[in-house]
Amino acid sequence: MPRAARIVPGAGTGPDGRARKLEGRHGSEESSVRSGGHTVVAILAVPRAYALDVSIAGHVFGRHPGYRVLVCGDHDATAEVRPTHSPAEAEYADIVVVPGYEGPLSPVPEKYLAVLRAAAERGARVVAVCTGVFALAAGGILKGKTVTTHWRHTEELRLAYPEVEVVENRLFVEDGSILTSAGAGAGIDACLHVVQADFGTAAADGVAKDVVFSPVRGADEPQYTETPTPARDSLRATQEWAIENMGSSITVQRMADHSMLSRRTFIRRFVGETGLPPMQWVVLQRLLRARRLLETSDWTVERIATETGFGTSANFRAIFRRDVGPTPTAYRKAHGARTAPSGGVERPAPQASAVAASSGGSTSCSRT
């Protein structure tokens, strides 16, 4: 199944999806962020950072007890965000999130760029929301990488950093340990994608429900569509029918017949609504269902293959490895039911959340 990003365990985690112990340097900053059993997420609030983007990352990661969230930055860098830790402490986190910021072509202080370089060199995952990708590029960690950003800024990014491959109209793109996303809404998808990689689909579903957001959308879905689509009730009903009957043989023609549209019209409308061809969408739904069953049930691989419409276990294993990475058995071992560490979450300061809530939609990056 073609995709812009492959779902893989994060660089800051071990084979079982849990946080690795930080290795290498030892100092006051490193020891202050060490958190046994938790994956440490540092939100690097660069100057002019959008409070909304800071709050999104803090809210999503803060909803899962497996993460400890720090907001790192200078207190005088932006009036809208109140950091809880210094910028230097982000260097030692498992995951570093760079929110979008105003004036992306304006210089970012070297100490922030040095933190990003050190984190990337150490193998931490680095997540950029919206224009946060410009800081990654300025820090020199995107050479030869494929990235995306909000559609308003893709051409700016391409012209300013020709050594970086910029992908148009994608929610998010993952290239190794670098994850870049479009606007603030796509930032939620990117953060949920990380939760999914670390703790599984069921955990990501739970976080999405907590933050009142739809389950993780795929990286291939577009940021926008050029033309409005017709009323979607019939296609939504067809999607629900396909999910309820995924164990049976589902074809484009059967879906078109269910929607009472011609095959050609159905395909055109389906792609316009979901951003994916019908059968690619069906495979994605089957994989999501299979992942949930591997995480939450004791069903055999053979039974899961049958129930999700993959047919034989051999076919299921081949598709699962191609599109997810590990084998179904290895995935179950890494993401099967387990109790995550509790406590230890340091949320963004209430001031940042309050400002973000009141300023939603005030920036060009808040609508995607």
Side-chain angles (χ1 to χ4, degrees):
M1 182 173 69
R3 60 200 183 286
R6 180 182 178 194
I7 301 174
V8 295
T13 59
D16 63 352
R18 295 183 183 276
R20 283 195 317 227
K21 288 186 178 180
L22 300 177
E23 300 172 350
R25 305 180 193 180
H26 297 275
S28 59
E29 293 92 352
E30 181 179 8
S31 61
S32 71
V33 301
R34 283 180 178 273
S35 184
H38 291 85
T39 296
V40 180
V41 179
I43 303 171
L44 188 61
V46 300
R48 308 180 304 281
Y50 293 125
L52 176 62
D53 293 8
V54 173
S55 295
I56 282 173
H59 194 48
V60 173
F61 288 115
R63 303 308 293 180
H64 194 283
Y67 296 105
R68 177 179 176 229
V69 181
L70 318 175
V71 179
C72 301
D74 291 323
H75 287 275
D76 58 352
T78 172
E80 294 185 334
V81 178
R82 184 177 298 166
T84 59
H85 292 73
S86 71
E89 293 177 82
E91 178 183 337
Y92 305 102
D94 299 289
I95 302 168
V96 178
V97 181
V98 183
Y101 57 94
E102 189 175 2
L105 292 178
S106 299
V108 173
E110 173 58 29
K111 65 180 175 181
Y112 288 90
L113 302 183
V115 166
L116 289 173
R117 285 192 290 267
E121 289 171 4
R122 187 174 50 77
R125 277 175 293 177
V126 181
V127 180
V129 178
C130 193
T131 54
V133 68
F134 283 81
L136 275 58
I141 65 174
L142 294 185
K143 292 181 180 179
K145 296 288 187 180
T146 300
V147 303
T148 194
T149 189
H150 191 282
W151 60 269
R152 291 184 185 276
H153 299 285
T154 51
E155 191 59 25
E156 277 183 309
L157 182 62
R158 185 178 288 112
L159 292 174
Y161 300 97
E163 72 278 10
V164 179
E165 182 179 348
V166 182
V167 176
E168 301 266 358
N169 201 20
R170 286 292 180 270
L171 286 180
F172 59 88
V173 171
E174 186 174 42
D175 190 339
S177 61
I178 304 294
L179 180 63
T180 54
S181 72
I188 300 177
D189 289 290
C191 293
L192 287 173
H193 174 82
V194 174
V195 176
Q196 183 182 61
D198 281 352
F199 296 102
T201 303
D205 288 347
V207 172
K209 185 176 181 180
D210 273 353
V211 301
V212 195
F213 197 74
S214 60
V216 187
R217 295 181 289 176
D220 287 334
E221 293 195 31
Q223 297 179 27
Y224 59 87
T225 55
E226 294 289 356
T227 56
T229 56
R232 299 178 178 179
D233 288 346
S234 61
L235 296 191
R236 185 176 294 111
T238 297
Q239 291 169 22
E240 291 172 355
W241 168 84
I243 290 173
E244 290 171 1
N245 294 276
M246 67 172 58
S248 64
S249 174
I250 297 175
T251 65
V252 174
Q253 190 59 55
R254 286 190 71 190
M255 295 175 74
D257 291 343
H258 185 275
S259 67
M260 295 183 289
L261 296 170
S262 70
R263 179 186 175 96
R264 177 175 296 181
T265 300
F266 169 74
I267 293 174
R268 175 172 54 81
R269 292 189 182 179
F270 194 93
V271 172
E273 177 175 336
T274 69
L276 297 172
M279 292 313 298
Q280 185 173 330
W281 179 88
V282 169
V283 171
L284 175 61
Q285 301 310 310
R286 284 173 166 160
L287 285 171
L288 288 173
R289 173 65 173 157
R291 290 171 68 154
R292 292 185 180 100
L293 289 172
L294 288 168
E295 294 167 20
T296 61
S297 79
D298 60 358
W299 288 8
T300 64
V301 170
E302 289 73 17
R303 182 178 179 184
I304 293 175
T306 300
E307 292 290 333
T308 54
F310 287 107
T312 67
S313 57
N315 185 53
F316 172 48
R317 288 188 179 95
I319 295 175
F320 196 89
R321 290 201 66 180
R322 181 192 70 191
D323 294 329
V324 181
T327 64
T329 301
Y331 183 88
R332 168 173 271 163
K333 183 177 180 181
H335 297 293
R338 63 172 183 261
T339 302
S342 60
V345 176
E346 299 182 25
R347 302 182 187 281
Q351 178 182 348
S353 299
V355 173
S358 65
S359 62
S362 64
T363 73
S364 64
C365 297
S366 63
R367 302 259 179 205
T368 299

